[in-house]
Amino acid sequence: MTAKPRLIIDTDPGQDDAAAILMAHGLAKRGLIDFIALTVVAGNVDLHHTATNARIICDWAGEKNFPVYAGAVKPLLRSLVTAEEVHGKTGLDGVELHDPECPLQPVHAVPFLIDTLRKAEDASITICPIGPLTNIAQALALAPDIVRAIKHIVLMGGNYFEAGNITPAAEFNFYVDPHAAQIVLQSGAPITILPLDVTHKACITTKRMDVLRQQDNINGPRLADILQSYERFDIQKFGLDGGPLHDPCAITCAVFPEMFGGKDCHVAVETQSELTMGACVVDWWNSTGKPANAYWITEVDADKMFAELAESIRHLP
């Protein structure tokens, strides 16, 4: 029997991050993952808000002592760009918030990652980054030896076949810290990328939200409220039937990879041109002959993914 994934989520909550974190807590309660910790980065909103939101979400899940570590306040080389126009000033528009009971750990996220991976067995920990890659890049740059302990990096970010969602060329997470994305891609770790190419096929529909809203708990209806607030922006911008649910794609893929399809490719990120900053160059047809450094996902069984999300949320308070 395959050992259940040992998972660290690196996140910038964010409404779809909230869905991903709640899903992970539910997967842990179902016995499908060993959920180790949350590391937090600035992205959708500033670090103060993302660190607060991560702890609030853990409170919601009934995990008031869950380890949460705050990390980078800004990208490696660029000024922070946030997405408050999508997620609201707090990052969690759509629901009432509270002062979190879950404490913030006194250690910075980057040394936590380095120490945890150095103590871990080879290929034993899966990292799911669902925000800008600043924390992960810093850890890999400071301690390249930790790659041996990484079983998989399963990240949400990037775009190639789908147009950008922050600029015409770039997806938000890679645009915010393109230099970090490139460092991660060059690290030698096994990487799976869930880009806009696939997340735009995993859309929030009324039927899928109704499944959450009708659950006999607090978190199902609450998550439906969060997602309904979140999806209005994407429906208005992209003309989709419902907003894409980006971040839970990465969590789902880490646990249920059979629901997804793609191709091993060489992937690089633009770090020089302001016109195309953060854009991905995906060598889909192996035109360059460069060895693949990532598995680029383009297909998802969205019905199964949303069913697993709903089932995981059902296991929460």
Side-chain angles (χ1 to χ4, degrees), residues 66-127:
F66 194 78
V68 179
Y69 298 84
V73 299
K74 66 177 288 295
L76 295 178
L77 299 176
R78 292 165 58 79
S79 298
L80 178 64
V81 175
T82 61
E84 291 177 4
E85 74 280 4
V86 180
H87 298 270
K89 292 291 185 184
T90 67
L92 285 177
D93 266 16
V95 291
E96 185 176 340
L97 302 179
H98 66 276
D99 291 331
E101 294 181 47
C102 181
L104 191 63
Q105 298 299 311
V107 178
H108 189 280
V110 173
F112 162 74
L113 287 166
I114 292 171
D115 185 56
T116 300
L117 289 163
R118 279 186 170 159
K119 291 177 179 176
E121 296 179 1
D122 289 357
S124 63
I125 293 180
T126 297
I127 300 175

Side-chain angles (χ1 to χ4, degrees), residues 54-67:
R55 293 150 58 211
I56 289 172
I57 296 161
C58 290
D59 284 355
W60 290 346
E63 298 291 338
K64 295 181 180 179
N65 292 306
F66 194 78

Side-chain angles (χ1 to χ4, degrees), residues 185-258:
L185 283 166
Q186 293 174 335
S187 69
I191 297 171
T192 292
I193 299 178
L194 286 293
L196 298 184
D197 303 354
V198 68
T199 65
H200 277 203
K201 298 175 181 176
C203 290
I204 303 159
T205 63
T206 299
K207 182 178 178 181
R208 288 167 177 166
M209 279 198 296
D210 284 348
V211 173
L212 293 172
R213 200 175 296 284
Q214 291 163 9
Q215 288 187 359
D216 188 23
N217 62 1
I218 298 171
N219 278 293
R222 175 160 49 207
L223 182 56
D225 287 343
I226 291 170
L227 297 181
Q228 190 158 31
S229 169
Y230 165 71
E231 73 160 351
R232 289 192 186 107
F233 176 86
D234 281 336
I235 291 172
Q236 291 168 0
K237 181 168 183 177
F238 301 113
L240 300 167
D241 292 335
L245 194 58
H246 305 288
D247 292 341
C249 287
I251 311 305
T252 307
C253 188
V255 184
F256 306 104
E258 67 277 4

